[in-house]
Amino acid sequence: MSLEIYWGSGSPFAWRVLLTAELKGVPYVSKQLEFSKKEHKADSYLLLNPRGEVPTLKDGVTVLTESIAIMTYLDMKFPSPLLFGSTPIETARIWSWISIAMYHYEAMSNRLVVPIFEKTVHQCADDMRSAAVLLHNEWSGLEKALSTNACVVGDSISAADIVIFTYLAYLLRIVGREIVTPLDLGFHPLATRYPSISAWCRRIEKIKGYDNAFPPHWRT
Ligand SMILES: N[C@@H](CCC(=O)N[C@@H](CS)C(=O)NCC(=O)O)C(=O)O
């Protein structure tokens, strides 16, 4: 029986699971949920994911939530290519970067994204500028790592690349909105401040399955 992946267009969390499945060539049934129709809050979906979030993976009677847990499951079940490392130090370094993304990048990014979604940019401008400074500091560390490595950890794509890339691309898209331009947060154009991150993004865009996993509504 094929795996089922429940996802929503534009969710970086769902995107990282789709990209993992595509990169590994895992056969799966795509179950796209429409956020605008609140399909992620339907009773039938809440039975699978009580938080009403995407992604969710269903494998027979097994149901998994949380994007990184799902990526880990896929990596153990379909080990080629291995995304969570093959040696203790490699796995630890991958987790170190994933942890930085989860605890630092996401926290700061939320301070930028939430006011944009909630249309409170003017009221939150000072906090958004402070969050941007902190995030730039974090991204400087990423820029440094990518100036010597092709990928976040070494030269092979890992879960760290997928987790960081999908969130970074999502953030860049949201802070690229016109309403944010007057704040001059310094994320665009990416290549000016972050040439190595920008080159890495171009490399990720060439990985197997990238186009299939790309959020469809971002194409329009
Ligand atoms: N920690 C979760 C986060 C999932 C998440 O926040 N998904 C968002 C989409 S980006 C969602 O479904 N939000 C719907 C809601 O909270 O109502 C994961 O990694 O899977």
Side-chain angles (χ1 to χ4, degrees):
M1 191 188 299
S2 287
L3 301 177
E4 295 176 354
I5 298 177
Y6 293 78
W7 60 284
S9 184
S11 160
F13 307 103
W15 187 11
R16 54 175 73 146
V17 166
L18 293 175
L19 198 47
T20 300
E22 291 286 345
L23 175 62
K24 288 174 171 289
V26 174
Y28 67 93
V29 176
S30 165
K31 299 273 190 180
Q32 183 180 3
L33 302 179
E34 293 289 346
F35 291 123
S36 60
K37 295 183 187 155
K38 297 260 177 242
E39 288 177 348
H40 57 306
K41 301 297 178 192
D43 289 346
S44 55
Y45 184 65
L46 292 175
L47 290 174
L48 302 176
N49 187 320
R51 289 181 201 276
E53 294 177 344
V54 290
T56 299
L57 176 115
K58 197 162 176 289
D59 183 9
V61 291
T62 303
V63 176
L64 279 173
T65 63
E66 292 299 326
S67 55
I68 296 170
I70 298 171
M71 288 173 70
T72 311
Y73 179 79
L74 292 177
D75 204 43
M76 298 207 77
K77 194 157 174 168
F78 304 93
S80 178
L82 260 188
L83 294 178
F84 283 85
S86 56
T87 65
I89 190 62
E90 211 179 27
T91 300
R93 294 224 189 286
I94 290 164
W95 271 106
S96 173
W97 276 104
I98 291 175
S99 305
I100 289 169
M102 284 166 63
Y103 295 114
H104 302 287
Y105 295 10
E106 281 180 24
M108 289 159 203
S109 301
N110 282 340
R111 286 168 57 190
L112 296 170
V113 165
V114 171
I116 298 170
F117 285 151
E118 293 185 347
K119 301 189 175 22
T120 54
V121 169
H122 296 300
Q123 298 91 308
C124 300
D126 287 345
D127 188 63
M128 289 176 74
R129 285 198 190 90
S130 311
V133 169
L134 294 172
L135 195 55
H136 279 303
N137 197 29
E138 292 292 337
W139 284 15
S140 300
L142 180 63
E143 173 70 16
K144 194 164 168 228
L146 289 169
S147 66
T148 52
N149 299 343
C151 295
V152 173
V153 178
D155 291 326
S156 308
I157 186 129
S158 75
D161 296 277
I162 293 178
V163 167
I164 294 176
F165 172 81
T166 46
Y167 209 84
L168 189 137
Y170 163 79
L171 181 88
L172 287 172
R173 182 178 160 91
I174 308 292
V175 298
R177 290 190 185 177
E178 222 170 81
I179 179 94
V180 194
T181 312
L183 300 191
D184 200 15
L185 298 178
F187 291 105
H188 291 287
L190 183 69
T192 308
R193 193 160 178 172
Y194 300 110
S196 302
I197 295 180
S198 180
W200 166 77
C201 288
R202 302 293 83 80
R203 287 196 290 280
I204 302 270
E205 286 163 9
K206 293 198 180 83
I207 68 176
K208 184 182 159 208
Y210 180 84
D211 285 341
N212 289 344
F214 191 79
H217 85 278
W218 288 9
R219 292 188 194 282
T220 52

